[in-house]
Structures are given as structure tokens and as C-alpha cells.
């Protein structure tokens, strides 16, 4: 999977600029389809420092498609909620939606370099990663792009049929194409510190507004594996960012806060950095044969944990579409839907992120007054407390996706409407309990809700590139599948088409596959 001394190839189907978590996850997904891809990463190894740490349930599912979910969950620290304090008083205790039958916890805390390692290890031989190498130039040509790569062995020209820019907020590929992110950049700055310290505290998100330990500041804390605390604290607008990250200025603030909350075990710093929130995006993520994903496409504030998670969703959305185009199972227009859907997602994520940022780091005096009023009221008013936590932890619904198939009539539930993330359901499988999301991530999948023998026409769907999963009433022991996919009772019959990335494409009453196949053909798929 990683070539240390072998020569660079002259031509590759896919070149991925950037070997961070998004680039490596995309490469691992493509490699599972047998698509050869070359990953070019400027760093000599996985990143240092915690960086992005909160992995959503959706991200865990995506990593599960390449078999990287088990090491991530085994190493990570799962959590379902958190607490917020104003000065020294608790003003919020929140819980994210969760239930015992779920496959994954709502969130898992784990350092970004572990995500990179697990995604890299999950790749196949089709995934070629080159460290200490960087893309220096990109030129569009008729059938792809000519990419200049600088490595320790010298300069190389690689012809790529497709280029995916996953090279971060300062993307060289984006610069080469003359593109600029559009949006808002906030002035408020946060110092980020990783420390090692043993603790017995529960794993939950902790936030303090104007704490006695650091008056006027906002502080966030997350536990991580390896006895690591991640601490983020806001600095004053008049503080010099260069001075703010010097250990002699950071460590006393950290010590003051640890002492205030009763964490008195010995500790030492691991990593210090600085951050300010940005709400930025390209208008389109496809420019000819060059596609953009992750921070190269959009920058979302860390508040609300939509940054890396949205980047992994980019990878999950793009991988199956790019594979289908390369393998001739769909036309290039399919990749326009990647841009449409993920630009929509970025704008929603940015809207939620902006709300969180304006509360966590108020951009002006008026926002500061509103925040203080909210925190004061939250001490005694339960209805005000949710305003302290303007987060959004559910996957985005692609309401206007060009891939959605219009549905006829009313259904008992809209949870599985076209464009929605396919709901989870716990089933009784032939080898024990089966989570429905375990069946996503590879092929188009037709969920067959029937009570009895499946018609022969449905058995032929795999010949048309559509896998089939029969969900009989006795397998749906909790009734979750029928309820969430909109069937009124156990005798109702229906077909639900789920895309490889776990989104509902369409649903039809009855067991006739002809409308399903006609819809796929209409959307440009070879059936």
C-alpha cells in the first residue's frame, strides 16, 4: 500500500493530493472497488497533535465500510453528552440521541493521527501512498490532468484521469486552479493544548464560560485515549497569537483551570497550536477532472464537530460515484451530483457552525451581551438551556439531490424519504443480530419488504448492479425497519433503493422492480 523507493507511475486513474484522514479514507474506499489511486502527502508520516478528535456516528459507519471501525472504536472513547458551566455553576447537561440497539455511540473521541493510521491500514494493494511528497502544479488536459509532484527523489510528472484535492485549507490544487473559498472568517482565536494527565472523570464534552480559573475566557475539554486531555481556550482579542502559544503563557492557564476543577494529578504538555473559526466554501466541488473534498473544499468551525466529519462524508459520497464513472457504470454527470449534494451539506454545516461560533466566541459586544443574558437565564430556566448548545449531530439530508426519485403517495414515515440517510434498524440475521447499516457502503442495495417468497424478477436485480436484502417480518423483531422505512404494518410490501453511501434514493410500494430499474436508467446508471 505504500511504496518507499519505487518510481512514480506515469499514469494513474486517481491521484489524491493530501494524505490526511479524508484523503486516506477516500483512497481506502476506492481501493475496495479495485480502483488504483496514488496518494501524495507532504508530511513524512501521520499528523502530530490531536487536531480533529470527535468522530460522529456517521463517520464511524463510513470507516466501517473499509473495516476501520473496530480499531477506531476499540481505541477511542465513546460519549453521548456533555456539560456546560457559567463561571462555577452548571447551566446545561445535554444528551445526544442514542439507544441501546444502535451500532455506534453518537461520538467517539480519538486523535486524528489514529484515524489516518486506521484508514491507511484498511486500504488494499490498489492504494499507493507517497509520503514526503507534494503536488506543485496541476494542469487540466482533455482526458484528465498533468500533475507535477516533488518528492525526495526529484520531480515527477503524473497523468491522472481524475484528481481529488484533499490537501487542506491551504490547498495547492485549489491555488493552481485559481479558485478561492468564499464566506466568513471570525477574529476570535483559541489556543489548543494536548496534555497527558490521568483522570477518573466520565467521557463527556465539558465547556466553561467565564470560569474563575480564566476570567473572560471560554474553555472546552475532551478526554482522549492515552490519558490525554484536549483543552481549547479563547484568548483576548488584544493578545498576540505568537506570544499566546508560548509554553510560558499557556501552561499557567492550563494549571489554573486544572486546579479549579480538581484535577491534581501530575501532567505534562504534548502539543500546542492556535485556531480561529472559518465559515468558507467553494461554490462547486467539481472543476472538470479535478474534484475537491475536506478542508480543500470547505472550512467549518470546530464548534459542533462538523469539520473532519463533513470531510469523511465527502469521501463517502464521492468514492462510489467516482468508481461507477471509472468502471463505466455511470456517466460523468454523476459527479455533478457529488458537488450539488456536498455544497448543500457544507452550507448547512457552516450555518450550524456559525451559530456555535457566535456563542462560543462572540464576534462583537452585542453577541457577548446576548450570551451573558442566556447564561444568566439558564441558571433557573430549563427552556433557555438548549440555546447554550447550538449543535447539529445528524447527517445532512439531500433534499434537492438530482439523484432523488420522486415517491408516489403518502408513507407512514418520512425518515426514509428520498435524499435522507437510510435509518438504522436492528435485525435478526442468519448469524446473529445484524445492523442494517452494516449492509451499506459497497453496492446499490434494494431493501425488499415482503412476507413470503420473493418474486423471481427481484432475484435478477444483482445482474443489473443492485444487491438485494430481504427484510421479512420475523427478521424485523423490534419492528424498527418497517416503522422507520414508512410501512404501516407487517403485511405491507415495498422496495427501498439505498445508495452505496447509505442514502435513500427511492422507494416504491409493491414488489415490481421495473420502476426501480427505470429510475436508475433515467438517472444515468447502466442497468
Amino acid at each position: 500500500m505504500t511504496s518507499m523507493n519505487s518510481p512514480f507511475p506515469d499514469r494513474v486513474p486517481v491521484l489524491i493530493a493530501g494524505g490526511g484522514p479524508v484523503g486516506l479514507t477516500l483512497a481506502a474506499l476506492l481501493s475496495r472497488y479495485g480502483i488504483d489511486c496514488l496518494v501524495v502527502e507532504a508530511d513524512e508520516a501521520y499528523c502530530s497533535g490531536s487536531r480533529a478528535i470527535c468522530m460522529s456516528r456517521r463517520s464511524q459507519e463510513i470507516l466501517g465500510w473499509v473495516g476501520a471501525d473496530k480499531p477506531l472504536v476499540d481505541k477511542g472513547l465513546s460519549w453521548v453528552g456533555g456539560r456546560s458551566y457559567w463561571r462555577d455553576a452548571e447551566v446545561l447537561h445535554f444528551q445526544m440521541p442514542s439507544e441501546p440497539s444502535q451500532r455506534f455511540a453518537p461520538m467517539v473521541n480519538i486523535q486524528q493521527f489514529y484515524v489516518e493510521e486506521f484508514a491507511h491500514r484498511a486500504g488494499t494493494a490498489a492504494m499507493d501512498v507517497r509520503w514526503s511528497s507534494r503536488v506543485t502544479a496541476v494542469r487540466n488536459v482533455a482526458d484528465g490532468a498533468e500533475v507535477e509532484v516533488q518528492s525526495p527523489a526529484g520531480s515527477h510528472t503524473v497523468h491522472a484521469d481524475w484528481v481529488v484535492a484533499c490537501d487542506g485549507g491551504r490547498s495547492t490544487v485549489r491555488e493552481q486552479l485559481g479558485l478561492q473559498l468564499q464566506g466568513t472568517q471570525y477574529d476570535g482565536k483559541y489556543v489548543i493544548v494536548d496534555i497527558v494527565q490521568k483522570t477518573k472523570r466520565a467521557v463527556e464534552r465539558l465547556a466553561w464560560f467565564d470560569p474563575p480559573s480564566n476570567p473572560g475566557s471560554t474553555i472546552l475539554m475532551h478526554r482522549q485515549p492515552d490519558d490525554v486531555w484536549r483543552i481549547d481556550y479563547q484568548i483576548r482579542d488584544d493578545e498576540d497569537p505568537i506570544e499566546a502559544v508560548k509554553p510560558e503563557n499557556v501552561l499557567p492557564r492550563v494549571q489554573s483551570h486544572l486546579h479549579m476543577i480538581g484535577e491534581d494529578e501530575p501532567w505534562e504538555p504534548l502539543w500546542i497550536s492556535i485556531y480561529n473559526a472559518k465559515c468558507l466554501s467553494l461554490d462547486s466541488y467539481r472543476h472538470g477532472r479535478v474534484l475537491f473534498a475536506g478542508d480543500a473544499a470547505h472550512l467549518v468551525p470546530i464548534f459542533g464537530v462538523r469539520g473532519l466529519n463533513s470531510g469523511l462524508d465527502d469521501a463517502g459520497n464521492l468514492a462510489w460515484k467516482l468508481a461507477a464513472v471509472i468502471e463505466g457504470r455511470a456517466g460523468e454527470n454523476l459527479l455533478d451530483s457529488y458537488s450539488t449534494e456536498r455544497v448543500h451539506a457544507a452550507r448547512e454545516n457552516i450555518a450550524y457552525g456559525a451559530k456555535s461560533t457566535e456563542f462560543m466566541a462572540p464576534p462583537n459586544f452585542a453577541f457577548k451581551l446576548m450570551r451573558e443574558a442566556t447564561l444568566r437565564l439558564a441558571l433557573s430556566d430549563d427552556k433557555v438551556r438548549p440555546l447554550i448548545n447550538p449543535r447539529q449531530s445528524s447527517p445532512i439530508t439531500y433534499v434537492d439531490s438530482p439523484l432523488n426519485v420522486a415517491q408516489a403517495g403518502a408513507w407512514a414515515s418520512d425518515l426514509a424519504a428520498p435524499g435522507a440517510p437510510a435509518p438504522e434498524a436492528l435485525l435478526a440475521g442468519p448469524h446473529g443480530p445484524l445492523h442494517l447499516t452494516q449492509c451499506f457502503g459497497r453496492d446499490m442495495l434494494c431493501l425488499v419488504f415482503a412476507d413470503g417468497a420473493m418474486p423471481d424478477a427481484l432475484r435478477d436485480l444483482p445482474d443489473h448492479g443492485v444487491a438485494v436484502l430481504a427484510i421479512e417480518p420475523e427478521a424485523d423483531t423490534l419492528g424498527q425497519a418497517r416503522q422507520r422505512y414508512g410501512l404501516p404494518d407487517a403485511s405491507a410490501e415495498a422496495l427501498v433503493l439505498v445508495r452505496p453511501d447509505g442514502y435513500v434514493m427511492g422507494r416504491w410500494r409493491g414488489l415490481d422492480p421495473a420502476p426501480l430499474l427505470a429510475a436508475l436508467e433515467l438517472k444515468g446508471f447502466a442497468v
Side-chain angles (χ1 to χ4, degrees):
M1 291 190 300
T2 302
S3 302
M4 299 299 294
N5 300 311
S6 58
F8 272 72
D10 293 327
R11 185 167 189 143
V12 292
V14 181
L15 185 146
I16 298 174
V22 176
L24 290 171
T25 298
L26 175 61
L29 289 165
L30 288 170
S31 76
R32 295 280 167 163
Y33 287 102
I35 305 296
D36 289 334
C37 50
L38 174 67
V39 181
V40 178
E41 170 53 45
D43 288 344
E44 62 183 14
Y46 309 128
C47 73
S48 60
S50 58
R51 305 202 185 191
I53 62 168
C54 299
M55 305 298 295
S56 69
R57 179 182 284 133
R58 169 71 177 169
S59 291
Q60 295 169 68
E61 291 175 5
I62 292 169
L63 289 165
W65 300 342
V66 295
D69 54 325
K70 187 177 188 308
L72 181 126
V73 171
D74 288 348
K75 184 65 179 181
L77 303 179
S78 301
W79 57 282
V80 297
R83 301 175 190 272
S84 295
Y85 301 85
W86 181 48
R87 296 175 180 166
D88 57 359
E90 184 177 307
V91 291
L92 174 71
H93 181 202
F94 73 88
Q95 296 277 312
M96 290 179 285
S98 186
E99 59 187 33
S101 61
Q102 285 281 3
R103 180 180 170 200
F104 298 115
M107 289 285 172
V108 167
N109 280 358
I110 190 166
Q111 295 91 324
Q112 180 175 309
F113 54 78
Y114 282 121
V115 181
E116 294 175 359
E117 178 186 350
F118 299 152
H120 184 196
R121 288 183 176 179
T124 71
M127 176 176 167
D128 181 2
V129 180
R130 303 299 180 103
W131 304 104
S132 301
S133 303
R134 64 176 65 246
V135 170
T136 56
V138 179
R139 296 182 296 274
N140 273 309
V141 294
D143 58 348
E146 297 288 348
V147 183
E148 296 292 335
V149 179
Q150 188 68 39
S151 79
S155 181
H156 317 270
T157 301
V158 180
H159 182 106
D161 297 336
W162 297 91
V163 173
V164 185
C166 301
D167 52 344
R170 298 173 179 172
S171 169
T172 299
V173 178
R174 193 178 62 231
E175 180 184 346
Q176 284 285 307
L177 269 61
L179 304 172
Q180 289 188 334
L181 300 172
Q182 304 294 326
T184 303
Q185 180 166 306
Y186 291 89
D187 292 330
K189 293 180 174 61
Y190 271 74
V191 170
I192 303 173
V193 190
D194 287 348
I195 68 167
V196 177
Q197 185 189 46
K198 292 189 178 297
T199 182
K200 295 181 180 178
R201 282 181 181 262
V203 182
E204 55 186 357
R205 193 222 66 177
L206 300 171
W208 285 264
F209 301 95
D210 193 18
S213 61
N214 286 265
S217 182
T218 302
I219 297 178
L220 297 172
M221 291 185 72
H222 281 277
R223 281 188 59 195
Q224 299 180 79
D226 308 324
D227 293 323
V228 173
W229 275 115
R230 159 71 173 266
I231 304 171
D232 301 30
Y233 67 82
Q234 187 181 11
I235 62 173
R236 299 188 313 273
D237 292 342
D238 62 352
E239 288 188 73
D240 182 349
I242 296 175
E243 292 294 320
V245 295
K246 290 183 177 179
E248 61 265 29
N249 294 321
V250 173
L251 304 189
R253 290 194 183 189
V254 172
Q255 179 58 62
S256 175
H257 189 68
L258 292 173
H259 179 71
M260 186 196 87
I261 64 175
E263 295 290 343
D264 295 327
E265 288 289 327
W267 64 278
E268 60 179 308
L270 290 177
W271 181 68
I272 300 173
S273 186
I274 196 164
Y275 167 88
N276 72 309
K278 300 176 180 69
C279 293
L280 305 171
S281 176
L282 290 173
D283 292 332
S284 174
Y285 298 165
R286 182 188 176 195
H287 294 265
R289 290 293 187 100
V290 180
L291 302 130
F292 290 82
D295 285 355
H298 46 74
L299 291 171
V300 183
I302 59 172
F303 313 115
V305 297
R306 305 298 295 179
L308 173 55
N309 290 306
S310 66
L312 293 179
D313 239 332
D314 292 344
N317 187 298
L318 177 57
W320 72 273
K321 295 176 180 178
L322 189 52
V325 170
I326 291 172
E327 294 174 345
R329 293 181 283 109
E332 288 188 20
N333 289 344
L334 179 60
L335 296 171
D336 294 333
S337 73
Y338 163 71
S339 180
T340 299
E341 292 174 352
R342 295 310 301 160
V343 168
H344 163 73
R347 289 173 177 163
E348 287 212 10
N349 287 328
I350 283 171
Y352 284 109
K355 290 180 182 178
S356 297
T357 299
E358 288 161 359
F359 197 90
M360 299 301 296
N364 57 46
F365 185 68
F367 277 98
K368 289 179 182 177
L369 283 180
M370 286 193 295
R371 185 178 81 170
E372 183 166 343
T374 301
L375 292 166
R376 285 183 183 276
L377 288 170
L379 290 171
S380 57
D381 191 338
D382 292 345
K383 295 179 181 178
V384 175
R385 290 173 184 168
L387 299 176
I388 299 171
N389 187 45
R391 58 197 299 119
Q392 196 268 349
S393 55
S394 302
I396 300 295
T397 297
Y398 302 138
V399 289
D400 296 319
S401 170
L403 298 184
N404 293 348
V405 179
Q407 56 186 16
W411 290 72
S413 171
D414 287 331
L415 287 175
E424 178 67 284
L426 185 62
L427 305 172
H431 306 293
L434 174 72
H435 288 95
L436 190 51
T437 57
Q438 291 177 259
C439 303
F440 305 154
R442 173 70 191 185
D443 301 309
M444 288 281 188
L445 178 65
C446 179
L447 306 180
V448 179
F449 290 91
D451 185 7
M454 193 164 56
D456 290 339
L458 287 173
R459 300 182 189 277
D460 294 336
L461 279 179
D463 295 334
H464 300 278
V466 181
V468 175
L469 177 66
I471 303 179
E472 299 172 350
E474 55 267 28
D476 189 16
T477 53
L478 301 178
Q480 291 178 340
R482 288 179 173 271
Q483 177 186 5
R484 294 172 183 177
Y485 284 83
L487 279 70
D489 53 57
S491 63
E493 297 180 329
L495 305 179
V496 179
L497 181 61
V498 180
R499 300 168 8 173
D501 58 352
Y503 272 80
V504 176
M505 189 167 170
R507 53 182 175 175
W508 299 264
R509 289 185 177 82
L511 301 178
D512 181 6
L516 182 155
L517 291 172
L520 279 173
E521 189 170 9
L522 183 65
K523 299 298 181 180
F525 294 91
V527 295

